[in-house]
Amino acid sequence: KHCGAIKVTSTEGQGSNFQVILPYVEADHLTNNLDQLPQRMNISKGLKVLLVDDEEIIRSTVSRLLKTSGFTVVLASNGLEGVEAYQVDHFDLVILDMLMPVMNGLEALKLMRAHRPDVPVIIHSGYAEDDDLEQLSRLGVSQVLTKPSRHSDLLKAINLVLDEKNS
């Protein structure tokens, strides 16, 4: 999705060489795009988000984005931790990965829905099968985003689900 590539060469007994190729982006372009991120400061102040993802880099990056946007964030590193947090606290939104150790996102979502079905859920995953998407739709998932996603796309999805909830 970022229009990059990885080239691998390997020689037995000598090792492997990985070359990561990413497109060049002007710094001004990045700064200008940050100004276009949707702002939700009025509505998001005080709203609590449960972010469930097994990848530390995703948890820290998305958490920082959400906190900067005014959300309170609770983190969980697998589906079971997410379900446990969901059952003892009140959340306004859940952002959930699909593939995780201990308990996957679909199973976690089913348990969350059984406990409190009205909370909006955004699936933020690098992998979802068509069968999963059908089940997610039946379980009332508001948005599905494929990783990697842009911060602006995640914030737009959050805006949409919160607007739907408040309508």
Side-chain angles (χ1 to χ4, degrees):
K1 287 191 173 184
H2 295 290
C3 299
I6 299 175
K7 292 184 179 180
V8 180
T9 55
S10 183
T11 306
E12 188 174 337
Q14 293 183 359
S16 300
N17 182 23
F18 294 83
Q19 184 180 15
V20 179
I21 304 161
L22 298 172
Y24 176 79
V25 178
E26 293 286 340
D28 288 345
H29 175 73
L30 293 173
T31 304
N32 291 339
N33 281 345
L34 290 176
D35 295 337
Q36 297 170 10
L37 289 177
Q39 296 300 313
R40 238 193 132 68
M41 299 310 248
N42 297 345
I43 294 176
S44 63
K45 288 272 189 223
L47 294 185
K48 190 179 276 189
V49 176
L50 174 60
L51 174 59
V52 186
D53 199 301
D54 62 318
E55 296 178 62
E56 170 60 32
I57 189 73
I58 299 292
R59 284 194 313 272
S60 66
T61 303
V62 173
S63 175
R64 190 170 39 249
L65 172 69
L66 294 172
K67 287 177 182 177
T68 301
S69 297
F71 292 96
T72 300
V73 182
V74 174
L75 302 174
S77 63
N78 63 59
L80 182 58
E81 284 180 15
V83 169
E84 290 171 349
Y86 190 85
Q87 291 175 339
V88 297
D89 206 344
H90 171 83
F91 293 97
D92 300 290
L93 174 67
V94 175
I95 300 174
L96 183 63
D97 188 15
M98 288 294 288
L99 290 180
M100 296 179 286
V102 183
M103 180 185 291
N104 69 36
L106 187 57
E107 292 304 314
L109 178 61
K110 289 176 184 176
L111 293 172
M112 289 176 185
R113 287 293 192 227
H115 179 72
R116 189 167 163 224
D118 61 322
V119 176
V121 175
I122 295 173
I123 299 298
H124 189 234
S125 184
Y127 177 81
E129 297 239 351
D130 288 341
D131 291 344
D132 292 338
L133 294 175
E134 289 175 24
Q135 287 187 63
L136 294 171
S137 178
R138 283 195 302 273
L139 289 167
V141 167
S142 306
Q143 292 282 318
V144 177
L145 286 177
T146 304
K147 289 193 269 185
S149 65
R150 294 181 177 147
H151 288 170
S152 59
D153 292 338
L154 180 57
L155 289 176
K156 286 176 189 175
I158 291 169
N159 284 340
L160 283 172
V161 300
L162 291 178
D163 286 345
E164 287 172 9
K165 181 182 178 185
N166 293 325
S167 296

